[in-house]
Amino acid sequence: MADIHDNRRRLVEFKDGCRYGRFGKTKAYELIARERIKAYKMGGKTLIDLDSIDEYHASLPRVESRAAL
């Protein structure tokens, strides 16, 4: 049997994508415009790709502590 990869997108409605990403709608629109997260239109609804939010979060710089141990 051939190895079949599941390439389904994890798409959610806009408000649920904002909740998942822990950002507001203004930030979501900014990230979409800068192509940091992916969004798709289905009829009148905007859907956000959760995998793109995960990739965005993974790309954020880590905060280094300045405290001396």
Side-chain angles (χ1 to χ4, degrees), residues 10-45:
R10 295 187 308 144
L11 300 178
V12 296
E13 290 189 22
F14 187 84
K15 65 180 180 174
D16 296 323
C18 291
R19 190 175 308 119
Y20 179 83
R22 298 183 186 269
F23 42 69
K25 68 179 187 177
T26 301
K27 183 66 172 181
Y29 284 123
E30 175 189 323
L31 294 172
I32 292 166
R34 294 176 55 209
E35 298 183 357
R36 298 296 307 270
I37 64 173
K38 296 176 186 172
Y40 302 90
K41 291 298 274 187
M42 184 173 71
K45 292 184 180 183

